[in-house]
Amino acid sequence: MGLWMMEFPDRHPPEGWLKSLAAGRHVTVLSGAGLSADSGVRTFRDPQDGLWAEYRPEQLATPGAFAAAPTTVWQWYQWRRRAIGAAQPHAGYHALARLAGSLGWQLITQNVDGLHQRAGMTVLEFHGSIWKEHCQRCETPNPEAPTTAEEPPRCSCGGLFRPSVVWFGETLDAQVLQSAAAAMACDTLLLIGTSAQVYPAAALAGEARSRGATVLEMNPEVTPAQVDSRWCSSALEGLPTLAKALLG
């Protein structure tokens, strides 16, 4: 595995990217909040607005917070749903959909917003989906999700439904972890808009490299990820450029 670590603050893929992505029989993509940010979806690190300005997301996205103040947590997620629902997949999403569909790339996302699916992609949701709900007591999915009420609805068992996202302090679904780990047996791993700070997702790049994969990163900011080549580009600009170069 050759190391061609460079930073390219321009609109052209670094040398070696096209060859690696075109020749790879198995390419896996891991996307993060930076991809959604280009559609106007706030990341957890962005300051909150209005009523929610006094809270940190870490105060709301925990099992303990939901147990102590379920209505407050539920209403915050309803606020987030409305904001996400108003966003649209940008050109980078549609370019990624073309690339994945034409070249058979496997997609994993840390995002819970569903924008990949709205752009026509099939993706493994590493941290769940804000548009799904399940009972916090018996874990039964809510067939009526997403619920628009401002109070968390109750399951037939008496428990409250909650968003089906992975909260701080929770473990990931074992099947999701297994599928993500299997996807690291790839020729090339492409990181898009990830912070490389949220575990266990941040460990996937190291897992891929340990298996011999070339790890590429597209991000306008330098991250702690150990990669072979970094392209300092947003997904909004970089992905359409990549699709044009690879697919014409």
Side-chain angles (χ1 to χ4, degrees):
M1 180 173 62
L3 299 183
W4 9 280
M5 172 70 71
M6 300 183 69
E7 295 178 9
F8 290 75
D10 62 27
R11 298 183 178 182
H12 303 287
E15 181 181 355
W17 272 52
L18 300 183
K19 179 180 179 181
S20 181
L21 291 170
R25 292 174 298 169
H26 183 179
V27 175
T28 298
V29 177
L30 174 63
S31 66
L35 183 60
S36 297
D38 288 335
S39 280
V41 177
R42 289 181 176 272
T43 72
F44 262 35
R45 291 175 176 80
D46 290 333
Q48 306 298 296
D49 283 338
L51 178 66
W52 304 106
E54 63 184 277
Y55 295 94
R56 297 194 315 274
E58 294 86 346
Q59 294 175 296
L60 298 166
T62 69
F66 188 70
T71 296
T72 299
V73 172
W74 180 264
Q75 290 180 353
W76 182 62
Y77 274 94
Q78 293 296 65
W79 173 74
R80 290 191 66 205
R81 280 175 171 172
R82 288 191 291 271
I84 291 169
Q88 296 297 323
H90 55 70
Y93 278 100
H94 296 292
L96 182 57
R98 286 183 59 212
L99 287 162
S102 298
L103 302 177
W105 292 2
Q106 186 168 357
L107 306 176
I108 305 172
T109 188
Q110 296 173 256
N111 302 335
V112 300
D113 51 46
L115 289 177
H116 287 82
Q117 292 90 330
R118 287 168 58 187
M121 288 175 264
T122 299
V123 60
L124 177 67
E125 294 176 310
F126 201 71
H127 291 146
S129 172
I130 199 172
W131 302 108
K132 298 176 183 178
E133 301 162 10
H134 68 272
C135 176
Q136 52 85 23
R137 178 183 295 174
C138 70
E139 300 187 355
T140 298
N142 183 4
E144 298 181 2
T147 308
T148 59
E150 289 301 306
E151 295 283 340
R154 287 196 177 274
C155 176
S156 59
C157 78
L160 295 174
F161 283 112
R162 51 159 283 186
S164 294
V165 299
V166 179
W167 281 336
F168 293 101
E170 292 185 322
T171 57
L172 271 69
D173 179 83
Q175 186 173 353
V176 170
L177 279 172
Q178 184 177 4
S179 297
M184 295 306 104
C186 54
D187 301 307
T188 304
L189 174 65
L190 174 58
L191 308 176
I192 303 175
T194 65
S195 68
Q197 298 180 51
V198 179
Y199 286 84
L204 292 175
E207 174 68 16
R209 291 192 80 196
S210 72
R211 299 189 188 187
T214 297
V215 180
L216 312 178
E217 181 181 55
M218 180 187 297
N219 201 316
E221 299 179 359
V222 177
T223 75
Q226 296 297 308
V227 302
D228 297 300
S229 180
R230 177 174 288 115
W231 183 8
C232 292
S233 172
S234 69
L236 177 60
E237 293 185 351
L239 284 170
T241 300
L242 203 59
K244 183 176 181 180
L246 288 171
L247 303 177

